[in-house]
Amino acid sequence: MCEFEEKVKKALEDILESSDKPRIGVAVSGGADSVALLLAMSELVSPLYVITINHNIRPAEESAGDVDFVNEVCEELKSRGLQIDCKTVELARGTVAHEAERRGGGIEEAARHLRYAAFENFAAEHKLDALCTAHTMNDQLETVLMRFLQGSPVESAGGIRARRKMPGQNGGAVFARPLLGISRFEIEEYVKKRGFTWRTDKTNFETDYLRNKIRLKLVPFLNENFPGWQKPVLAGAEKASEDAELILSCTESFSVSGNENVEIVLEDFLHAPAAVQRRVLLSACNKAGETTRIPSLFIKEVIELAGKKDQFIKHFAGIDIILKKNTLFIKKHSENSTDLVFSAIIEKTGTFEFPFGVLDVFNYTEQDGKEYVSICAGDPCGISSLVENITLPFCVRTYRLGDSVICADGSQKKVSDIFSDWHVAPETRSLIPVIQLLDEKSQKIQAVLAGFLGYKDWIVKL
């Protein structure tokens, strides 16, 4: 047994604690990380149950090629006398897109949801004690940095957990990450020494998503300018995870009644620590059926109002929060939220409040007789969307059915089609601001800002 496999064995034993001869599965995509996990686990566990998933969201030759590659590796290991049971799960083309539309989120989020549902079914089918996924030390660092930049709470700032219990009726089954303490360099070296290769997903080199930006731009910068940054960042994440356990125990003990119509006793709520208040209110909104990401600013405003007012009504997306008779009521919004309309002409720098959150206008400059600013839209305590070089004055407003934007090739595309491509739920579209220029006759739309809601930003490069 080589040093790499010893590391994996030790990590798995720590995760599973006292499990005797556990039934283990491995999720394999075909990338270097999952291939390394497959190779190591095949030496440590017998039989080993393998699952690979074709999401059918990339060109057929790529996604099918990944699945074929995983099956070929498994067959090679079986030919060497190892006990491998490999199952392929193929999602029909369009399934992920349909799920994204149903959930009101992006393609990647929907793919992850369906993937983990398949993992849980696979674990139940094979009565597994653990299903291992190939998250590495690099993934952990990227996750911690990403959540820091998003202003995430401590339970998220702790990063990826080595052990997570599966939901549903899978007994004591867990997701296990035995590679979290191993770097990607070690992983690739191990695969090469074993005489195997791996598949590369081309989307890993695109910078449309925050994680890829961190991996391709921020991490290399930190490596060059801040040697040794990885260790303290991981240590800080571990401390955050420990703090999160305490806050979670306090939140879970807080009394909240109802499901779709949630009630919270005001006196108990006001006496709770701020960290508990935020989490209780977010949990209540989710119980009431709100699936859209709720800005921290909205939660903060509700908490402040609860301490000052005898009664109020606050609305966001699909929910209403109502204070009356010393009780907070959280329920589904009674009107059609797509009726929400906002519009304002911005003529100077400053901070402006809108239904979607706030709009920060800053970095004022003058050039060739024109005034330019930068814009940050969304949640100042979390994810925001940034666009630069906007001319004053400009208009920020709700999108209209006839709106269109310029594409890179000079063609026009309807904003409604962009929302369809991003799988933005109808009730969320009215919360996405459009930035319209006012310094020219055409009054072009320069930006559609949806990044702070978990989608993308469409920014026209003029």
Side-chain angles (χ1 to χ4, degrees):
M1 187 182 300
C2 70
E3 182 181 355
F4 184 90
E5 291 160 1
E6 287 282 4
K7 282 187 176 182
V8 176
K9 181 175 183 291
K10 176 64 168 58
L12 189 62
E13 289 172 347
D14 290 343
I15 293 169
L16 298 182
E17 297 171 343
S18 61
S19 184
D20 184 31
K21 292 185 178 180
R23 293 173 65 87
I24 304 292
V26 178
V28 184
S29 65
D33 303 339
S34 65
V35 170
L37 182 62
L38 169 59
L39 295 177
M41 292 297 295
S42 67
E43 297 291 330
L44 302 173
V45 177
S46 182
L48 180 65
Y49 300 92
V50 178
I51 179 172
T52 186
I53 299 179
N54 183 352
H55 299 85
N56 269 316
I57 55 178
R58 292 184 290 137
E61 63 273 13
E62 292 182 19
S63 54
D66 290 347
V67 168
D68 291 342
F69 174 78
V70 172
N71 280 280
E72 288 169 8
V73 173
C74 288
E75 288 301 318
E76 173 61 26
L77 293 174
K78 288 167 67 175
S79 72
R80 301 181 184 186
L82 298 171
Q83 284 189 273
I84 307 290
D85 183 339
C86 184
K87 177 178 181 178
T88 297
V89 173
E90 181 169 358
L91 304 179
R93 190 163 291 276
T95 299
V96 176
H98 176 75
E99 183 68 12
E101 186 171 2
R102 186 187 71 83
R103 293 171 63 82
I107 288 290
E108 292 297 321
E109 189 276 335
R112 183 185 186 281
H113 173 76
L114 292 171
R115 178 166 64 251
Y116 272 81
F119 289 167
E120 290 160 22
N121 290 335
F122 181 74
E125 177 186 348
H126 293 283
K127 297 181 174 59
L128 300 181
D129 295 295
L131 180 67
C132 298
T133 60
H135 294 86
T136 69
M137 182 187 294
N138 295 68
D139 295 319
Q140 181 72 296
L141 287 164
E142 292 163 7
T143 298
V144 172
L145 291 172
M146 180 174 68
R147 291 177 180 173
F148 171 77
L149 293 173
Q150 292 172 332
S152 299
V154 291
E155 57 265 39
S156 296
I160 305 166
R161 287 176 287 172
R163 172 192 174 101
R164 179 167 70 86
K165 186 177 180 181
M166 287 189 192
Q169 304 300 316
N170 288 322
V174 299
F175 288 112
R177 282 85 181 229
L179 301 186
L180 272 183
I182 303 177
S183 71
R184 192 161 289 136
F185 175 79
E186 293 176 90
I187 283 166
E188 292 182 0
E189 288 300 302
Y190 170 71
V191 176
K192 292 175 185 176
K193 287 179 181 178
R194 288 290 307 269
F196 287 83
T197 59
W198 59 83
R199 299 273 292 184
T200 300
D201 185 346
K202 294 178 181 177
T203 61
N204 289 339
F205 301 101
E206 298 174 358
T207 56
D208 290 343
Y209 297 101
L210 179 58
R211 179 179 290 276
N212 284 4
K213 286 182 180 179
I214 290 170
R215 177 182 302 154
L216 300 174
K217 295 184 177 181
L218 179 56
V219 169
F221 175 82
L222 292 174
N223 289 340
E224 181 179 352
N225 295 279
F226 298 91
W229 66 272
Q230 297 92 338
K231 187 174 181 179
V233 167
L234 291 175
E238 186 176 355
K239 293 171 186 175
S241 183
E242 293 170 354
D243 292 344
E245 291 182 14
L246 174 61
I247 296 175
L248 182 60
S249 66
C250 295
T251 304
E252 290 177 342
S253 64
F254 194 92
S255 177
V256 175
S257 59
N259 286 314
E260 292 187 359
N261 294 309
V262 183
E263 297 182 15
I264 302 173
V265 177
L266 181 63
E267 183 178 3
D268 296 342
F269 182 77
L270 293 179
H271 280 89
V276 174
Q277 288 177 335
R278 289 196 301 272
R279 288 159 178 80
V280 166
L281 198 53
L282 280 169
S283 176
C285 291
N286 292 332
K287 280 188 176 182
E290 183 52 55
T291 57
T292 302
R293 182 186 173 276
I294 303 173
S296 300
L297 182 64
F298 176 78
I299 296 297
K300 182 180 179 181
E301 288 177 349
V302 171
I303 293 172
E304 290 177 348
L305 286 172
K308 297 176 181 177
K309 302 286 187 179
D310 294 327
Q311 59 182 17
F312 66 81
I313 297 177
K314 287 287 290 182
H315 165 67
F316 176 81
I319 56 168
D320 289 325
I321 299 180
I322 304 166
L323 173 61
K324 62 180 180 180
K325 297 180 181 179
N326 295 318
T327 303
L328 279 170
F329 298 90
I330 299 92
K331 62 180 184 178
K332 290 185 177 180
H333 185 49
S334 58
E335 298 177 358
N336 187 348
S337 62
T338 57
D339 293 337
L340 179 66
V341 175
F342 57 86
S343 179
I345 294 176
I346 306 298
E347 300 179 293
K348 59 183 180 180
T349 58
T351 300
F352 307 89
E353 293 191 9
F354 289 93
F356 59 80
V358 299
L359 187 80
D360 278 325
V361 183
F362 58 101
N363 281 352
Y364 177 88
T365 58
E366 293 185 17
Q367 185 177 352
D368 299 328
K370 291 187 177 182
E371 301 171 305
Y372 293 90
V373 292
S374 296
I375 296 173
C376 189
D379 183 358
C381 301
I383 304 173
S384 298
S385 297
L386 176 67
V387 58
E388 300 173 314
N389 297 322
I390 298 291
T391 54
L392 287 177
F394 65 88
C395 179
V396 54
R397 60 172 174 81
T398 314
Y399 96 101
R400 300 165 188 158
L401 287 177
D403 284 341
S404 62
V405 293
I406 300 174
C407 301
D409 61 2
S411 63
Q412 297 275 333
K413 184 163 186 173
K414 292 182 178 179
V415 174
S416 57
D417 290 341
I418 293 172
F419 289 161
S420 296
D421 292 343
W422 292 348
H423 305 287
V424 182
E427 62 270 18
T428 304
R429 297 182 181 190
S430 58
L431 289 169
I432 295 175
V434 166
I435 305 300
Q436 183 177 16
L437 301 184
L438 299 177
D439 66 337
E440 54 184 57
K441 290 182 180 180
S442 62
Q443 296 193 350
K444 298 174 183 175
I445 292 175
Q446 187 165 354
V448 180
L449 303 179
F452 67 94
L453 290 172
Y455 301 99
K456 297 181 181 180
D457 294 322
W458 187 291
I459 300 173
V460 179
K461 305 296 183 182
L462 299 177

